[in-house]
Amino acid sequence: MRHILIIFVGISVSCYAYFNYNIGEPSHMGPGFFPFYLGIILAVIGTTIFLATFNKKFLPKKLNYKKLIIIISSIILFSTTLNTLGILLSTFLSSLLSTYANKNYINNTSRIIVALTITLITWIVFILFLDVPIKIFPGIIT
Amino acid sequence: MESILGLIGGFNTILEPTVLFYCFIGVFLGTLVGVIPGIGALAAVSLLLPLTYHLNPTVAIITIAGIYYGTQYGGSTASILLNLPGSPSNVITCIDGYPMSKQGRSGVALCMTAIASFVGSMIGVAILLLFSLEIANLGLKFGPAEYFSLMMLGLVMAAAMTSGSILKGFAMVTLGLIIGTIGIDIHSGIPRFHFEIPSLMDGIGLVTLVMGLFGLVEILMSDKFQCREKNNSITFKSMTPTKDDIKRSVYPILRGTAVGSFFGTLPGIGPTIASFSAYSVEKKFSKNSDKLGTGAIEGLVSPEAANNAAVQTAWIPTLMLGIPGDAVMSLMIAVLIIHGIYPGPTMIAQQPEIFWGLIASFIIGNILLLILNIPFIKIWVRLLQIPYHYLYPLILIFISVGVYSVSNNIFDIYIVALIGIVGYFLYADNYQFPPLLLGFVLGPLIEEKLRRSLLISGGDFKIFFESPISAALLATTALIIIFAVIKFIKSGDRRS
């Protein structure tokens, strides 16, 4: 039943385009012209999908919410700490967090080792090799 | 002939040390990442894309192209040794490759694969050369209306050809087109859908989108590599194929190349479908068709030749017409556009150095791969033995840092996370992403062509039917849509 979201996206895109941008006419397309009609098309397609799958039993792929939350959180952790803590600490913390998404780690020590290794590799590839302009340590300007 | 002159010029470009070096890097990294199961060509190119951003256009596209066909080579290694396809187009390789491995003939399998891939690529490149100038001449007759119809055809084919429901393919194309409108509208200067966020004024970046959809979602969906047996070491001696092997492989390789070359040129169809089709052709035409599936060398070399040929010929519509041959090609088009190069019928005339340099790089790159694969196989095997749960956090960091490094913008990382979440739910509902990517890449172009056409015609839609080329393209588009809808109604779409 998540197909309804597609319809919703289509309709909202069209509405937003309609109210905020000039639609114009075919000979003089405004900025809203393309998105407006695209939104309608998307809503129509979404409705067709919805109707077509209405009667079928819904067999969703198994969703691992825990994994989703942990992995996404690790990325958000990275982005929020990148500028304050520097890339090395940021990498360490977020990769450590991401290891908790998987059950195959024996103990926490192996997780820490992996996080450290990843931090090392990140340092080698992105700082030494590629010279990415980013804070390395907290408080130091590159 | 013009082509030969152009090609010689191309060799001039590629044989410069820097360019050659980057071609090698591309090919090497591509094979490396391609070997890792679960990371296909698309993810490989996406992950390595930021590395090429600061190179000049010629080198950048040569490197990325190298990554692409490198992953095809690398993917087959994983398929043969571990029964784990490195990328979707290598699935077929598992069928006869893995049994060969179990029979202790992994060395031979790897060697023959490399040869088949090489032959497939070379013949693909030859076809590319033959067609290049012909299609370029045709392209001079293309005005905005023709381009619009051509792109519509490309989008519709991409939506129809992906696995899963065709309607969902259309939905994804449309969604991609919509996402492509985020950012400043070139024509009016008005920013669209940016919600007062400055970072969104440029729209969502290609790297961001691609990393999110193909990298993040991949990690969210995967659990492990499901490694089974560890393989014994591979010596040089065990790699030489017997005379019988070679004799039996000649026709399958040629058949596979023919199938692959044909399918590669069709927009929306890529190496995956090419390799599947080559296998079915082999089943029908091979003398030893009953042995297929048990480790017959025919079943191994034909699809391999096919997928490499397809990878090369996919450049024909991509470069000549500006229509992506498959999802990775749309990435290539995007890279070119970012560097200010617009693939299409005028590309050969306006930027011959890049065009011919690229083609020459295909030849050199494939030779490099052939040489690379033989000694480096042991390294690849070692790599495969790293458990997945050690690798995925590294990939996550690569995604985060990679996305950041494009425009030094933290906000991009948030966007990647959001795309990952949305993509995860879409994927769970059997929506495929390549059509979305195509829509995203072609969106701004299609809009511009549409606008120009309607401007010329004064708002009259008949302009799309007045020219024979445009009308023919639109008719084909309509046919595909009708065909798809009929198929959809008939099957009742069990795969909802």
Side-chain angles (χ1 to χ4, degrees), chain B residues 95-287:
Chain B
I95 299 184
D96 273 291
Y98 188 57
M100 279 185 81
S101 218
K102 285 203 281 198
Q103 291 160 16
R105 305 189 70 215
S106 46
V108 175
L110 290 167
C111 181
M112 287 312 294
T113 305
I115 295 180
S117 303
F118 181 73
V119 173
S121 298
M122 288 295 106
I123 298 186
V125 171
I127 296 182
L128 181 58
L129 280 173
L130 280 173
F131 273 93
S132 52
L133 291 174
E134 296 313 311
I135 301 192
N137 286 332
L138 178 69
L140 290 174
K141 303 183 192 148
F142 269 61
E146 285 81 9
Y147 268 108
F148 175 80
S149 308
L150 185 61
M151 288 191 242
M152 285 300 294
L153 180 60
L155 284 181
V156 165
M157 286 192 89
M161 299 298 174
T162 50
S163 54
S165 152
I166 293 151
L167 267 194
K168 291 184 178 175
F170 287 142
M172 287 292 98
V173 166
T174 320
L175 187 60
L177 288 169
I178 291 179
I179 298 179
T181 60
I182 301 178
I184 297 189
D185 173 33
I186 302 178
H187 189 78
S188 60
I190 296 180
R192 297 190 284 194
F193 296 109
H194 70 296
F195 302 120
E196 307 297 322
I197 303 174
S199 307
L200 280 182
M201 296 264 271
D202 274 327
I204 294 185
L206 176 71
V207 176
T208 319
L209 184 69
V210 158
M211 293 271 209
L213 287 181
F214 297 102
L216 245 195
V217 175
E218 196 59 52
I219 294 185
L220 288 170
M221 299 296 319
S222 314
D223 257 322
K224 44 192 161 67
F225 286 158
Q226 294 158 0
C227 263
R228 288 167 215 169
E229 323 150 23
K230 299 230 162 98
N231 275 84
N232 24 25
S233 51
I234 302 165
T235 65
F236 265 116
K237 277 222 184 102
S238 73
M239 275 182 44
T240 29
T242 66
K243 270 206 185 127
D244 180 55
D245 288 327
I246 300 184
K247 212 167 91 174
R248 279 165 66 184
S249 303
V250 172
Y251 278 115
I253 291 183
L254 290 175
R255 276 194 286 266
T257 309
V259 172
S261 309
F262 173 68
F263 277 110
T265 51
L266 300 178
I269 305 187
T272 312
I273 302 189
S275 56
F276 274 78
S277 314
Y279 195 76
S280 354
V281 164
E282 206 50 38
K283 261 225 143 109
K284 279 199 193 138
F285 290 102
S286 168
K287 280 178 261 170

Side-chain angles (χ1 to χ4, degrees), chain B residues 157-468:
Chain B
M157 286 192 89
M161 299 298 174
T162 50
S163 54
S165 152
I166 293 151
L167 267 194
K168 291 184 178 175
F170 287 142
M172 287 292 98
V173 166
T174 320
L175 187 60
L177 288 169
I178 291 179
I179 298 179
T181 60
I182 301 178
I184 297 189
D185 173 33
I186 302 178
H187 189 78
S188 60
I190 296 180
R192 297 190 284 194
F193 296 109
H194 70 296
F195 302 120
E196 307 297 322
I197 303 174
S199 307
L200 280 182
M201 296 264 271
D202 274 327
I204 294 185
L206 176 71
V207 176
T208 319
L209 184 69
V210 158
M211 293 271 209
L213 287 181
F214 297 102
L216 245 195
V217 175
E218 196 59 52
I219 294 185
L220 288 170
M221 299 296 319
S222 314
D223 257 322
K224 44 192 161 67
F225 286 158
Q226 294 158 0
C227 263
R228 288 167 215 169
E229 323 150 23
K230 299 230 162 98
N231 275 84
N232 24 25
S233 51
I234 302 165
T235 65
F236 265 116
K237 277 222 184 102
S238 73
M239 275 182 44
T240 29
T242 66
K243 270 206 185 127
D244 180 55
D245 288 327
I246 300 184
K247 212 167 91 174
R248 279 165 66 184
S249 303
V250 172
Y251 278 115
I253 291 183
L254 290 175
R255 276 194 286 266
T257 309
V259 172
S261 309
F262 173 68
F263 277 110
T265 51
L266 300 178
I269 305 187
T272 312
I273 302 189
S275 56
F276 274 78
S277 314
Y279 195 76
S280 354
V281 164
E282 206 50 38
K283 261 225 143 109
K284 279 199 193 138
F285 290 102
S286 168
K287 280 178 261 170
N288 295 321
S289 57
D290 44 318
K291 293 211 197 119
L292 285 180
T294 60
I297 199 149
E298 294 88 345
L300 177 67
V301 296
S302 174
E304 277 301 312
N307 73 15
N308 280 75
V311 164
Q312 300 301 153
T313 53
W315 286 101
I316 296 182
T318 307
L319 290 179
M320 317 297 172
L321 301 173
I323 297 221
D326 72 351
V328 183
M329 285 297 145
S330 36
L331 214 51
M332 303 290 179
I333 290 188
V335 171
L336 286 169
I337 295 180
I338 289 176
H339 286 281
I341 301 156
Y342 291 90
T346 50
M347 188 182 166
I348 299 187
Q350 287 178 351
Q351 267 122 355
E353 335 79 48
I354 296 188
F355 179 77
W356 292 112
L358 189 58
I359 303 214
S361 79
F362 291 158
I363 300 179
I364 302 283
N366 275 292
I367 297 179
L368 280 175
L369 275 172
L370 193 61
I371 305 175
L372 250 192
N373 267 308
I374 301 177
F376 277 106
I377 284 174
K378 285 196 188 163
I379 303 184
W380 305 149
V381 177
R382 272 296 160 75
L383 193 73
L384 280 173
Q385 289 169 356
I386 301 179
Y388 176 75
H389 59 273
Y390 291 153
L391 279 181
Y392 83 83
L394 181 64
I395 300 176
L396 275 178
I397 294 293
F398 260 72
I399 292 179
S400 307
V401 181
V403 160
Y404 175 80
S405 67
V406 170
S407 5
N408 280 9
N409 194 345
I410 299 279
F411 191 75
D412 285 336
I413 312 183
Y414 290 119
I415 302 256
V416 163
L418 181 66
I419 294 178
I421 298 176
V422 172
Y424 184 62
F425 287 110
L426 283 175
Y427 192 83
D429 268 336
N430 269 313
Y431 286 95
Q432 306 290 328
F433 299 135
L436 193 152
L437 186 64
L438 252 77
F440 174 76
V441 171
L442 292 182
L445 291 170
I446 284 195
E447 185 180 6
E448 194 231 319
K449 300 301 176 195
L450 180 67
R451 173 175 281 138
R452 252 198 228 169
S453 312
L454 290 178
L455 205 64
I456 293 175
S457 72
D460 193 356
F461 279 91
K462 275 202 280 205
I463 187 173
F464 295 111
F465 300 99
E466 276 163 0
S467 111

Side-chain angles (χ1 to χ4, degrees), chain B residues 37-119:
Chain B
I39 303 189
L42 204 45
V45 173
S46 334
L47 287 176
L48 297 168
L49 195 58
L51 302 178
T52 64
Y53 255 52
H54 308 287
L55 302 168
N56 82 47
T58 316
V59 181
I61 195 74
I62 287 180
T63 314
I64 298 183
I67 297 176
Y68 185 27
Y69 50 85
T71 53
Q72 297 301 325
Y73 277 84
S76 19
T77 309
S79 310
I80 295 173
L81 293 179
L82 283 187
N83 205 27
L84 285 167
S87 49
S89 55
N90 295 119
V91 169
I92 292 279
T93 318
C94 294
I95 299 184
D96 273 291
Y98 188 57
M100 279 185 81
S101 218
K102 285 203 281 198
Q103 291 160 16
R105 305 189 70 215
S106 46
V108 175
L110 290 167
C111 181
M112 287 312 294
T113 305
I115 295 180
S117 303
F118 181 73
V119 173

Side-chain angles (χ1 to χ4, degrees), chain A residues 2-3 21 26-27 31 34 42 53 56 58 61 63-64 67 79-80 94 98 102 104-105 114 118 130 133-134, chain B residues 51 192-193 220 222-223 389-390 392-394 397 404 408 410 414 424 427-429 431 447 454-455 458-459 492:
Chain A
R2 283 191 278 262
H3 302 304
Y21 309 121
S27 61
F34 206 53
L42 186 62
T53 58
K56 309 284 186 319
F58 190 56
K61 283 208 183 102
L63 289 181
N64 190 339
K67 187 160 83 161
S79 46
T80 40
S94 65
S98 70
N102 194 296
N104 288 335
Y105 283 92
V114 168
I118 293 179
L130 293 176
I134 181 66
Chain B
L51 302 178
R192 297 190 284 194
F193 296 109
L220 288 170
S222 314
D223 257 322
H389 59 273
Y390 291 153
Y392 83 83
L394 181 64
I397 294 293
Y404 175 80
N408 280 9
I410 299 279
Y414 290 119
Y424 184 62
Y427 192 83
D429 268 336
Y431 286 95
E447 185 180 6
L454 290 178
L455 205 64

